Amino acid sequence: MDIPAYNRAAWNQQSSSGTSRWCQPVSVAEIQAARAGRWSLMLTPNKPVPQAWLGDVAGKKVLCLASGGGQQAPLLAAAGAVVTSFDNSEEQLAKDRLVADRDGLTLDTVRGDMADLSVFADGSFDLIFHAVSNVFAENLAPVWRECHRVLRPGGRLIAGFMNPLHFLFDHEEAEQTGVLQVRHALPYSDLTSRSPEWLAKTTQENVAYEFGHTLEQQIGGQFAAGFLLAGLYEDGWDDTATPLNKFTTMFIATLALKIETPSTPSP
């Protein structure tokens, strides 16, 4: 099965419905505030990204990776960044363009799979903003390798991802019974961890497939790609999303640096 193609259609449907908070474009007032230097970005549901992680973005080349939806990319453009939004969903990219057209912003939109950034040359960007979206990627290693390749030396990768503990449990079952029970092993995959009946229902409803990656794949994968971890924080969700939220944080955010390689002196 072509997972990116299936999830592309699923996200187009979800974005069109507008039910998710990540499919709702920012307001005119938020863009005006960003132009005046008053802005923040949400990588995870509740905590804004530390401004020290973002730095001064004016004039910086920023890649919003799998972060379409009319939110982060337009805010960064309003703050003065040179922004490219790269997303698998045409509908999510259309919302970035909607805000850009509405508020007179300049930003590029490119559709594609987060694991294949071959349309960009090596060292194309100063900053990559990668919202909680690799939950929809079956394999993470290509994502981290491509991020490292397209960043310039000294560039930064800001990434968010689900706490792997989330995928141990059947949250639909917990919603019905009020009891959390371990049902799945890690790493998790909708395609192999669920019953054929559940998978058939999910496919019929065109719900995006999810994958739960281990911390070794998430954080260790960034190290393996050549990054140096420079920051980390955790964030909660809400108790209606999952009762697990009462016991642990549900999201992790990391700041990783592409280290400049010292030049070799001439003999």
Side-chain angles (χ1 to χ4, degrees), residues 119-207:
V119 296
F120 305 119
D122 295 359
S124 294
F125 299 100
D126 300 295
L127 170 68
I128 295 175
F129 187 91
H130 183 39
V132 180
S133 51
N134 70 33
V135 65
F136 305 109
E138 188 171 15
N139 299 303
L140 286 192
V143 178
W144 300 136
R145 286 197 302 266
E146 283 290 85
C147 285
H148 191 270
R149 181 185 65 79
V150 302
L151 274 175
R152 66 165 178 80
R156 289 167 290 162
L157 166 66
I158 297 173
F161 50 90
M162 294 287 296
N163 186 331
L165 294 177
H166 172 83
F167 295 97
L168 292 174
F169 304 94
D170 185 329
H171 297 275
E172 294 174 0
E173 177 187 70
E175 186 176 322
Q176 296 171 359
T177 65
V179 178
L180 283 165
Q181 294 190 29
V182 173
R183 296 296 189 197
H184 310 294
L186 296 175
Y188 168 89
S189 166
D190 275 350
L191 300 178
T192 58
S193 302
R194 293 288 192 164
S195 68
E197 295 77 18
W198 185 96
L199 189 59
K201 181 176 181 291
T202 298
T203 305
Q204 184 179 16
E205 294 174 353
N206 201 26
V207 176

Side-chain angles (χ1 to χ4, degrees), residues 242-253:
T242 171
L244 185 60
N245 188 66
K246 298 175 183 177
F247 304 101
T248 186
T249 51
M250 299 304 302
F251 296 90
I252 299 168

Side-chain angles (χ1 to χ4, degrees), residues 11 15 21-24 64-74 85-89 91-96 109 129 131 133:
W11 261 99
S15 184
R21 64 175 285 190
W22 306 111
C23 302
Q24 298 170 12
C64 286
L65 179 60
S67 301
Q71 300 180 7
Q72 298 96 357
S85 181
F86 185 91
D87 199 283
N88 196 28
S89 165
E91 291 293 331
Q92 288 290 83
L93 291 173
K95 292 185 176 181
D96 285 337
T109 57
F129 187 91
S133 51

Side-chain angles (χ1 to χ4, degrees), residues 107-122:
L107 61 84
D108 292 329
T109 57
V110 181
R111 197 204 67 78
D113 176 12
M114 70 182 86
D116 180 5
L117 304 182
S118 57
V119 296
F120 305 119
D122 295 359

